[in-house]
């Protein structure tokens, strides 16, 4: 059987189906599957754009200060006091120099952790919220060894207390600093 141009067998007439008179056409807002997919894709894009804009919004709340900053200040103060105390107690100069060196190392380790927590941008620069390292001055007059021992005991307790509140690397770092301060006060300055 030969076929017509429409692909139907010959003799079959293409009939256009029309709506019966008086019926209402389907609403213009009828959504077919392709339109629904376009709407869904546009909605997902809009949600992503709103999320990106919210992430770029200015953060009005200042960041809370890092709790390690106080311990860094304490470590640098203890190191300066130990160095100054060498003048008043030359018989303990070896122990005082060891304390000054180790407390400076503690302060440097704390500063490294503070900077790590703040982060570094992809180009190697640090955020503007970076807090500068502490530079305490040596006490005048130099403290007696008993005063330095009391300072070290307070530093030991502060590090131990904060260590119990933190976890991971920070807790381990503070536990190590606490143990070192206990050794300084209880053994080196005994």
């Amino acid at each position: 059987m030969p076929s017509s141009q429409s692909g139907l067998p010959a003799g079959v007439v293409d009939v256009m189906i029309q709506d019966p008179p008086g019926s209402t056409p389907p609403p213009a807002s009828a959504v077919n599957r392709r339109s629904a997919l376009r709407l869904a894709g546009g909605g997902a894009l809009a949600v992503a754009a709103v999320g990106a804009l919210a992430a770029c919004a200015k953060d009005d709340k200042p960041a809370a200060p890092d709790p390690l900053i106080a311990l860094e200040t304490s470590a640098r103060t203890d190191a300066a006091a130990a160095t100054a105390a060498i003048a008043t107690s030359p018989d303990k100069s070896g122990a005082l120099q060891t304390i000054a060196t180790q407390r400076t190392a503690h302060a440097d380790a704390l500063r490294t952790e503070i900077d790590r927590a703040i982060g570094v941008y992809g180009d190697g620069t640090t955020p503007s919220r970076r807090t500068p390292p502490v530079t305490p001055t040596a006490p005048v007059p130099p403290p007696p060894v008993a005063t330095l021992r009391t300072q070290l005991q307070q530093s030991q307790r502060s590090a131990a207390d904060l260590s119990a509140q933190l976890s991971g690397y920070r807790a381990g770092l503070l536990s190590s600093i606490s143990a070192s301060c206990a050794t300084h006060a209880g053994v080196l300055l005994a």
Side-chain angles (χ1 to χ4, degrees):
M1 187 186 255
S3 66
S4 66
Q5 287 180 341
S6 65
L8 296 174
V12 177
V13 179
D14 290 332
V15 178
M16 223 165 122
I17 301 176
Q18 295 181 347
D19 292 330
S23 69
T24 58
S29 65
V31 179
N32 62 18
R33 185 175 62 153
R34 188 171 291 182
S35 296
L37 290 174
R38 283 185 189 138
L39 285 173
L45 184 61
V47 168
V50 168
L53 288 175
C56 293
K58 182 180 177 188
D59 187 353
D60 291 337
K61 283 191 336 187
D66 195 311
L68 299 184
I69 292 173
L71 295 178
E72 179 195 7
T73 303
S74 174
R76 295 205 189 277
T77 302
D78 292 348
T83 302
I86 292 173
T88 60
S89 301
D91 58 320
K92 294 199 179 262
S93 64
L96 292 170
Q97 187 58 49
T98 300
I99 291 169
T101 302
Q102 289 182 358
R103 290 301 281 154
T104 300
H106 295 164
D108 293 343
L110 290 165
R111 172 50 49 182
T112 300
E113 175 58 17
I114 291 166
D115 289 345
R116 185 209 58 81
I118 291 172
V120 176
Y121 293 130
D123 63 356
T125 59
T126 55
S128 61
R129 288 190 260 172
R130 184 174 185 263
T131 56
V134 201
T135 52
T137 57
V140 178
V145 172
T147 303
L148 180 59
R149 185 180 309 118
T150 303
Q151 277 181 243
L152 289 167
Q153 289 169 341
Q154 289 172 345
S155 296
Q156 183 266 328
R157 278 192 296 278
S158 296
D161 291 345
L162 188 56
S163 171
Q165 297 172 14
L166 300 176
S167 63
Y169 174 77
R170 285 181 160 214
L173 175 64
L174 294 179
S175 295
S176 176
I177 290 172
S178 176
S180 182
C181 288
T183 302
H184 293 159
V187 176
L188 293 180
L189 295 181

